[in-house]
């Protein structure tokens, strides 16, 4: 039976842990966004060695489990003299893992920009940096915003994996409460509801944004 009284009692405790979950998601996503853009640009460089290494790293990270990467960062790095807190290790793991997916999203957006736009940069005597920041990226990023948003939601839903490296986010907090009370029904149910309440409305907003952008760019 579901104990509503107990659920009400533990709700503030789980809700306080939600801040850790949201913080890890936001910081991890910022890292993934920046690193993903860098990887996308490096993978398109004319220096073949750099492009080959970058693409190899992207494929390797994408084809290994996030959980294994989190374990490696948190438990193996200390063997090399780099000890990270659970939060930092979790953010780093999420950021690196999802940067490889966002790099492909960025690459598709960049490739969709007409070749003539690069020539415009040359005609205006823009530096490579100016061409990227003033011409290419402003055209490449808006159409892929919905896809980027979907990855943000996916990252949020995968933050429970951080409990494996002892970060006390909402799932870990729920497990602690369950172990103390010998009742997991209420805390785990609350966690599931919180994820749904936050993820579903966000997915609807992203869908609306996608429809608007599809009309604007006639996708």
């Amino acid at each position: 039976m579901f104990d509503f009284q107990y659920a009400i009692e533990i709700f503030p405790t789980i809700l306080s842990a939600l801040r850790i979950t949201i913080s890890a998601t936001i910081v991890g996503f910022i890292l993934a966004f920046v690193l993903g853009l860098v990887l996308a640009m490096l993978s398109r460089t004319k220096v073949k060695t750099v492009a080959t290494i970058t693409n190899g790293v992207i494929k390797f990270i994408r084809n290994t489990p996030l959980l294994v990467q989190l374990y490696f960062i948190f438990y193996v790095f200390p063997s090399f003299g780099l000890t990270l807190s659970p939060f930092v290790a979790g953010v780093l793991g999420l950021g690196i893992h999802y940067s490889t997916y966002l790099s492909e999203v960025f690459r598709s957006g960049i490739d969709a920009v007409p070749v003539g736009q690069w020539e415009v940069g040359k005609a205006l005597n823009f530096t490579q940096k100016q061409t990227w920041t003033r011409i290419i990226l402003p055209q490449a990023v808006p159409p892929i915003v919905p896809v980027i948003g979907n990855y943000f939601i996916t990252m949020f839903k995968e933050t429970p994996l951080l409990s494996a490296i002892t970060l006390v986010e909402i799932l870990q907090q729920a497990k602690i409460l369950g172990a103390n009370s010998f009742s997991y029904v209420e805390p785990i149910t609350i966690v599931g509801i919180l994820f749904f309440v936050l993820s579903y409305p966000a997915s609807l907003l992203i869908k609306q944004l996608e429809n608007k952008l599809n009309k604007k760019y006639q996708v």
Side-chain angles (χ1 to χ4, degrees):
M1 296 293 292
F2 189 89
D3 188 339
F4 284 96
Q5 182 61 40
Y6 176 57
I8 293 173
E9 290 177 1
I10 65 174
F11 183 75
T13 303
I14 295 178
L15 196 62
S16 65
L18 181 61
R19 292 180 294 180
I20 301 296
T21 298
I22 294 175
S23 296
T25 303
I26 293 174
V27 178
F29 192 78
I30 291 173
L31 175 60
F33 186 94
V34 174
L35 186 56
L37 181 57
V38 172
L39 290 174
M41 296 173 71
L42 289 177
S43 67
R44 300 182 78 263
T45 182
K46 295 181 180 179
V47 182
K48 291 185 178 180
T49 302
V50 174
T52 300
I53 293 174
T54 301
N55 287 319
V57 169
I58 290 172
K59 290 179 181 179
F60 176 79
I61 294 176
R62 288 187 65 176
N63 288 282
T64 52
L66 172 58
L67 186 58
V68 172
Q69 295 166 17
L70 290 170
Y71 274 130
F72 193 89
I73 293 171
F74 188 67
Y75 292 109
V76 179
F77 274 17
S79 301
F80 299 96
L82 182 60
T83 302
L84 303 174
S85 68
F87 182 83
V88 174
V91 165
L92 189 60
L94 288 172
I96 292 175
H97 186 80
Y98 277 93
S99 69
T100 60
Y101 289 92
L102 291 186
S103 69
E104 294 300 301
V105 176
F106 281 121
R107 185 180 60 79
S108 64
I110 293 169
D111 289 343
V113 176
V115 178
Q117 296 300 307
W118 296 92
E119 300 300 325
V120 171
K122 293 181 180 180
L124 294 174
N125 291 320
F126 279 1
T127 63
Q128 188 174 28
K129 179 181 178 181
Q130 289 174 322
T131 301
W132 275 105
T133 57
R134 297 186 183 184
I135 298 177
I136 305 303
L137 292 181
Q139 296 181 69
V141 173
I144 61 175
V145 166
V147 182
I148 294 175
N150 286 328
Y151 274 115
F152 178 80
I153 295 174
T154 301
M155 179 186 288
F156 171 67
K157 291 189 291 186
E158 288 212 331
T159 53
L161 289 176
L162 303 186
S163 64
I165 57 172
T166 72
L167 182 67
V168 185
E169 40 70 66
I170 55 175
L171 181 60
Q172 182 70 355
Q173 185 64 69
K175 290 192 292 185
I176 292 172
L177 291 168
N180 291 337
S181 64
F182 301 102
S183 177
Y184 288 91
V185 176
E186 293 81 8
I188 298 301
T189 299
I190 292 173
V191 168
I193 292 173
L194 285 174
F195 271 108
F196 177 80
V197 168
L198 292 173
S199 298
Y200 185 65
S203 66
L204 294 179
L205 289 174
I206 291 173
K207 184 63 177 177
Q208 290 181 356
L209 178 60
E210 182 178 8
N211 292 335
K212 290 181 180 179
L213 289 174
N214 284 343
K215 293 178 181 179
K216 182 176 180 180
Y217 293 96
Q218 297 180 348
V219 176

